[in-house]
């Protein structure tokens, strides 16, 4: 699943036709509980699920995984050059790092020539609206161009959650600076079957403004 709209890889085929995944080495970045890696393994791929959070990987272990789980920072991947055919990330790592180009360069390094990296992030336009599912989430309340990160702190003032804002142009430039060619930029439309509300996500908003941006990138 690429994002809360519900676009899944079976439908989207952004990593290629599912039958071509068989035997491919695939790195999932910011894997969380490794849902994507689990699906990839079911297709016959050889996934590796990477996340910086030990706790998330414990969830992956508890649910069950027949593939390696790696606890590491996406900006310093513990793999040799050219280890993977494909890489993917559904809202993993890239929204949360201050220097996304470092991550993109690392992903490029560990991909084989011709390798593809597909990643999804919150669509940058959402930054300009309150994160509310109802009508209050439809009026612009902040500048789209404001790159100040969203930060939540604990009682001692330590940052416990940080999300960085990049405009669409910033993200395209990051992809290019990371050494990739941008093949497609998918903005999934809200499907009629999805009637669920979750956080700021809802059919009302989803029908009017994009929620996810999926970058399909290839290296030479
Ligand atoms: C919103 S969750 C997405 C999880 C999963 N991809 C999914 O679709 O449910 C973001 C994940 O990225 C991980 N993450 C954040 N920064 C990271 C980094 N620098 N390196 C690796 N993982 C990171 C978090 O620990 C978290 O598990």
């Amino acid at each position: 699943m690429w994002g809360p709209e519900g676009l899944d890889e079976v439908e989207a085929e952004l990593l290629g036709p599912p039958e071509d995944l068989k035997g491919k080495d695939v790195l999932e970045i910011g894997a969380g509980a490794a849902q994507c890696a689990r699906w990839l393994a079911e297709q016959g791929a050889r996934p590796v699920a990477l996340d910086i959070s030990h706790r998330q990987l414990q969830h992956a272990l508890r649910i069950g995984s027949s593939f390696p789980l790696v606890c590491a920072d996406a900006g310093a991947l513990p793999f040799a050059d050219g280890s993977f055919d494909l890489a993917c990330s559904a809202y993993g790592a890239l929204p949360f790092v201050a220097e996304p180009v470092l991550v993109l360069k690392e992903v490029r390094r560990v991909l084989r020539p011709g390798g593809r990296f597909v990643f999804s992030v919150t669509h940058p336009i959402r930054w300009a609206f309150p994160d509310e599912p109802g009508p209050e989430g439809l009026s612009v309340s902040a500048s789209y161009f404001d790159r100040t990160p969203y930060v939540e702190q604990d009682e001692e003032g330590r940052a416990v959650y940080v999300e960085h804002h990049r405009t669409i142009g910033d993200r395209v430039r990051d992809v290019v600076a990371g050494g990739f060619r941008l093949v497609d930029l998918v903005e999934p439309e809200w499907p009629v079957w999805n009637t669920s509300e979750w956080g700021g996500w809802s059919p009302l908003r989803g029908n009017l403004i994009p929620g996810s941006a999926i970058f399909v990138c290839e290296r030479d």
Side-chain angles (χ1 to χ4, degrees), residues 49-195:
L50 177 138
D51 202 286
I52 201 168
S53 161
H54 185 250
R55 189 117 184 244
Q56 286 288 351
L57 296 174
Q58 280 179 323
H59 290 307
L61 260 187
R62 186 176 39 78
I63 297 167
S65 53
S66 56
F67 43 83
L69 303 173
V70 177
C71 193
D73 181 354
L77 296 173
F79 307 109
D81 298 1
S83 300
F84 297 94
D85 302 299
L86 296 164
C88 62
S89 183
Y91 281 78
L94 281 155
F96 311 106
V97 297
E99 295 184 90
V101 174
L102 287 184
V103 173
L104 284 150
K105 283 186 172 166
E106 272 295 85
V107 175
R108 185 186 186 281
R109 181 183 66 74
V110 302
L111 278 174
R112 298 182 182 124
R116 187 172 263 222
F117 178 34
V118 184
F119 69 91
S120 60
V121 293
T122 304
H123 196 293
I125 193 65
R126 288 267 166 146
W127 206 253
F129 297 86
D131 197 25
E132 299 289 343
E136 62 278 32
L138 297 176
S139 300
V140 169
S141 61
S143 170
Y144 168 78
F145 302 104
D146 183 356
R147 273 82 161 184
T148 310
Y150 169 78
V151 180
E152 289 175 11
Q153 296 174 326
D154 65 13
E155 308 81 57
E156 274 124 50
R158 283 183 302 226
V160 289
Y161 181 94
V162 179
E163 197 170 332
H164 292 269
H165 175 54
R166 316 279 292 152
T167 67
I168 278 281
D170 293 339
R171 292 257 178 236
V172 170
R173 281 184 289 277
D174 291 345
V175 165
V176 174
F180 284 100
R181 202 158 39 86
L182 184 63
V183 176
D184 200 357
L185 170 48
V186 180
E187 298 165 292
E189 293 190 31
W190 195 271
V192 279
W193 58 261
N194 191 348
T195 53

